[in-house]
Amino acid sequence: MTAEVKSVVFDPGDGSAPVTCANGGTPYDSRLAPEQQEDDCWHVYSHPSSRGSFRLRATVTWSATWTGSGETGGVLPELTVTANAAVPVQEVQTVNGSGVPSHRAG
């Protein structure tokens, strides 16, 4: 049997439109540093949740084929699995400065 992710659709839970990722997006590569990862399927939360977290809902659709002895095989019906997760989103404010004091003559 061979199974593949056909699509991932996730509702980020913050009121924005659901995100659809064909073929499940690009898999995480453990050999690469975080800044080198490919990210073709993502969402940016623009504000923190008043409840402490957003309720993300992800739906994954799988397709599968099978091969048996005597040249038997076929396509199995698609399988769709849905799960929910709490996604904590917090706001962090920073001041970006050079750290070098300015001096004025006069």
Side-chain angles (χ1 to χ4, degrees):
M1 183 158 98
T2 302
E4 295 178 340
V5 174
K6 188 171 180 181
S7 70
V8 174
V9 177
F10 67 91
D11 179 346
D14 63 354
S16 58
V19 177
T20 301
C21 311
N23 302 319
T26 302
Y28 179 81
D29 187 340
S30 61
R31 297 170 297 167
L32 299 176
E35 63 274 4
Q36 295 174 312
Q37 297 294 325
E38 298 283 331
D39 56 349
D40 58 353
C41 186
W42 51 273
H43 174 74
V44 174
Y45 289 91
S46 60
H47 57 85
S49 171
S50 61
R51 298 181 310 262
S53 64
F54 291 103
R55 194 79 180 149
L56 180 131
R57 180 180 176 92
T59 302
V60 180
T61 301
W62 294 84
S63 62
T65 57
W66 67 277
T67 304
S69 60
E71 297 185 27
T72 59
V75 177
L76 298 170
E78 287 184 354
L79 173 66
T80 300
V81 180
T82 300
N84 297 302
V87 178
V89 176
Q90 299 174 348
E91 182 176 19
V92 176
Q93 295 183 6
T94 63
V95 175
N96 187 6
S98 66
V100 177
S102 62
H103 299 282
R104 288 192 184 180

